[in-house]
Amino acid sequence: MRYDRVRAVEYANRWAYARNPEFFDFSELGGDCTNFASQCLYAGSGVMNYTPVFGWYYINASNRTASWTGVEFLYNFLINNKGVGPQGELVELKRIMAGDIVQLKFKEGPDFNHSPVVVDAGDGTPETVLVAAHSVDSNCRPLSSYVYRGIRPIHIYNVGT
């Protein structure tokens, strides 16, 4: 199935500065960025993966997978998913497209901390790639405006059904 980038970006633009009442706001519980990214991915894919533990789904705040709200868990799901739901691959920033995810690392250590959604890929440079995000709500924010120690562009290449 094809990933609908237009729908993902429309969702990001609609909810960048607000909260969709169908989803819990995790802002006070460590941040809402990956929850927001997952909502955008769901808008573009139209399916969830209900595999317990290692899938990617949201029913409510207490019935969801870690991949729906956790930066590292989302990465692991997208990169390793061969089943239902969005399937991703690491790419160079210049290959990123609107509707993809760019994860950022702000601290020392191996873990990434933030999952903004690409709303405009520009020419694939940090100055021209524009993202939307929650936690610090933003839309059309240049990637270069973040102070990050690491970057992980994830291109959604397919949606398994």
Side-chain angles (χ1 to χ4, degrees):
M1 184 158 75
R2 190 167 173 219
Y3 181 59
D4 190 335
R5 297 178 181 286
V6 171
R7 286 187 55 136
V9 170
E10 287 174 348
Y11 188 95
N13 289 328
R14 165 69 180 91
W15 294 105
Y17 293 109
R19 299 297 186 268
N20 183 336
E22 294 180 24
F23 297 92
F24 184 80
D25 179 0
F26 291 90
S27 295
E28 301 300 319
L29 298 173
D32 198 56
C33 69
T34 305
N35 178 39
F36 175 67
S38 286
Q39 291 172 42
C40 295
L41 288 167
Y42 178 59
S45 65
V47 296
M48 293 183 191
N49 182 319
Y50 291 98
T51 304
V53 182
F54 299 109
W56 174 77
Y57 67 86
Y58 176 96
I59 296 170
N60 58 47
S62 58
N63 189 358
R64 61 183 164 79
T65 52
S67 59
W68 190 270
T69 54
V71 176
E72 292 296 326
F73 294 104
L74 177 62
Y75 169 78
N76 288 331
F77 173 78
L78 291 173
I79 297 303
N80 296 307
N81 182 31
K82 303 298 181 226
V84 176
Q87 300 169 349
E89 62 185 345
L90 280 176
V91 296
E92 294 179 29
L93 188 59
K94 66 182 178 182
R95 288 195 48 223
I96 209 76
M97 298 173 71
D100 287 340
I101 306 295
V102 177
Q103 292 188 325
L104 302 174
K105 180 180 1 177
F106 298 133
K107 305 171 189 170
E108 288 292 328
D111 291 342
F112 282 70
N113 318 98
H114 196 41
S115 299
V117 177
V118 177
V119 294
D120 186 334
D123 63 7
T125 63
E127 294 76 26
T128 62
V129 172
L130 304 179
V131 297
H134 277 185
S135 294
V136 174
D137 294 359
S138 56
N139 195 18
C140 297
R141 179 177 177 175
L143 203 51
S144 61
S145 69
Y146 288 96
V147 178
Y148 54 87
R149 294 177 178 264
I151 184 170
R152 191 160 63 185
I154 305 169
H155 172 66
I156 307 303
Y157 67 87
N158 191 39
V159 175
T161 56

